[in-house]
């Protein structure tokens, strides 16, 4: 599959998706959102891929925001359609993938860029990264899930402050408030991501996909997360990975998951 705005690389069970619009600081436009959807869909369907890393090209930006020129003159209905389509095509889609997605935040993650990072299953950042949702400075609010996911990660008060001030926070503050899991240097960022991915890949991909589903259920309206966990827990008992994992434990050896 050929892409103009992203680069997809696969190395055994690890895939890396790089948003490649350096002249635009990797800003999201309609074409890039569509390409990302197609890439993630393809990788999700590839049984060999166990973990996906998502990053931006260069050392300045993960994604510096959305391409404002595409929607500056939209009507009310067009604006709502833009948000709904984007959430369904990319942001909600990534959040609900059964394959773990790690956001490797290598610089600015602003607006739609931070929303994309938050849609990933967790985030690590370089020490030069800056994060924020500046939309209110443009007379609009975050429309790709930012008002929902940011409070889930950092708490309501901090999210209110970040959104209302339209300010940026540095990587270390992002780690302190739970927005990112780790902060490291630019040079060590990708190696750290690969190290974490290698730990994930030692475990059962089937169980991990069920864990993602159960964790996400807690944040869905009208869904009992505990019931989702019970159901997912039970489903694991019918898998080959459960048989292999428990057998390996009893035989005092490392499991060989399919």
């Amino acid at each position: 599959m050929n892409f103009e705005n992203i680069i997809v690389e696969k190395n055994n069970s690890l895939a890396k998706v790089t948003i490649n619009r350096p002249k635009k600081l990797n800003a999201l436009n309609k074409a890039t959102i569509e390409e990302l959807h197609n890439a993630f869909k393809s990788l999700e369907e590839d049984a060999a891929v166990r973990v996906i890393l998502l990053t931006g090209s260069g050392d300045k930006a993960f994604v510096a925001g959305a391409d404002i020129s595409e929607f500056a003159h939209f009507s009310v209905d067009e604006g709502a359609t833009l948000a709904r389509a984007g959430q369904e095509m990319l942001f909600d889609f990534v959040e609900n993938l059964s394959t773990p997605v790690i956001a490797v935040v290598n610089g600015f993650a602003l607006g739609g860029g931070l929303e994309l990072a938050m849609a990933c299953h967790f985030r690590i950042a370089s020490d030069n990264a800056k994060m924020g949702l500046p939309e209110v400075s443009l007379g609009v609010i975050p429309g790709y899930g930012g008002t929902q996911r940011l409070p889930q990660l950092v708490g309501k008060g901090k999210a209110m402050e970040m959104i209302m001030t339209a300010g940026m926070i540095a990587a270390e503050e992002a780690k302190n408030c739970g927005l990112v899991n780790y902060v490291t240097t630019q040079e060590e960022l990708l190696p750290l991501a690969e190290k974490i991915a290698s730990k994930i890949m030692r475990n059962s991909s089937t169980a991990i996909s069920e864990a993602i589903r159960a964790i996400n259920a807690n944040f869905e309206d009208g869904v009992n997360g505990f019931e989702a966990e019970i159901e997912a827990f039970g489903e694991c008992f019918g898998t080959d990975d459960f048989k292999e994992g428990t057998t390996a434990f009893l035989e005092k050896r490392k499991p060989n998951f399919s």
Side-chain angles (χ1 to χ4, degrees):
M1 191 176 292
N2 295 321
F3 300 108
E4 293 184 6
N5 300 297
I6 66 174
I7 299 169
V8 179
E9 302 167 280
K10 286 189 281 188
N11 182 14
N12 296 320
S13 296
L14 180 64
K16 183 174 74 166
V17 178
T18 304
I19 301 166
N20 188 35
R21 302 184 74 214
K23 292 182 180 179
K24 296 285 188 178
L25 293 179
N26 303 322
L28 296 177
N29 59 3
K30 181 179 179 181
T32 304
I33 287 174
E34 289 177 355
E35 288 189 6
L36 285 168
H37 169 83
N38 291 333
F40 279 116
K41 186 174 186 293
S42 176
L43 293 171
E44 172 84 338
E45 293 169 351
D46 187 341
V49 174
R50 304 281 295 277
V51 178
I52 303 169
L53 307 181
L54 175 64
T55 193
S57 62
D59 57 6
K60 292 183 179 180
F62 172 74
V63 173
D67 195 333
I68 296 169
S69 64
E70 286 194 337
F71 57 80
H73 304 292
F74 273 17
S75 67
V76 171
D77 288 343
E78 287 172 324
T81 298
L82 176 74
R84 182 174 290 107
Q87 287 189 29
E88 291 175 356
M89 180 177 290
L90 181 58
F91 299 83
D92 293 350
F93 187 78
V94 169
E95 182 176 61
N96 291 300
L97 286 182
S98 62
T99 306
V101 183
I102 305 172
V104 184
V105 182
N106 56 312
F108 289 109
L110 304 175
L114 180 55
E115 289 174 302
L116 180 56
M118 290 191 294
C120 297
H121 297 119
F122 62 92
R123 293 143 293 284
I124 66 174
S126 57
D127 51 17
N128 70 320
K130 303 282 188 182
M131 293 164 230
L133 296 175
E135 284 86 348
V136 297
S137 68
L138 301 173
V140 70
I141 70 169
Y144 287 144
T147 65
Q148 306 305 300
R149 292 190 179 97
L150 188 61
Q152 291 171 4
L153 292 166
V154 306
K156 181 180 177 180
K158 186 64 176 177
M160 286 283 195
E161 177 193 348
M162 287 179 64
I163 291 171
M164 289 179 184
T165 62
M168 294 185 293
I169 62 172
E172 205 57 48
E173 184 177 356
K175 185 180 80 169
N176 291 339
C177 67
L179 187 51
V180 302
N181 292 27
Y182 299 97
V183 175
T184 188
T185 63
Q186 278 274 2
E187 294 75 20
E188 291 299 318
L189 183 62
L190 193 56
L192 175 60
E194 292 172 347
K195 181 179 179 181
I196 295 170
S198 70
K199 291 181 179 180
I200 293 172
M201 290 187 289
R202 293 175 197 156
N203 301 314
S204 163
S205 59
T206 303
I208 287 171
S209 69
E210 292 291 351
I212 290 171
R213 184 165 67 87
I215 293 167
N216 284 344
N218 184 55
F219 298 98
E220 295 180 27
D221 288 338
V223 176
N224 185 319
F226 291 99
E227 285 297 325
E229 180 185 279
I230 291 167
E231 179 186 338
F233 180 77
E235 289 290 336
C236 290
F237 280 71
T239 66
D240 290 338
D241 277 4
F242 175 75
K243 295 173 185 176
E244 169 60 17
T246 52
T247 300
F249 178 82
L250 294 172
E251 293 178 352
K252 295 181 171 57
R253 62 175 175 82
K254 292 182 179 181
N256 181 24
F257 294 116
S258 57

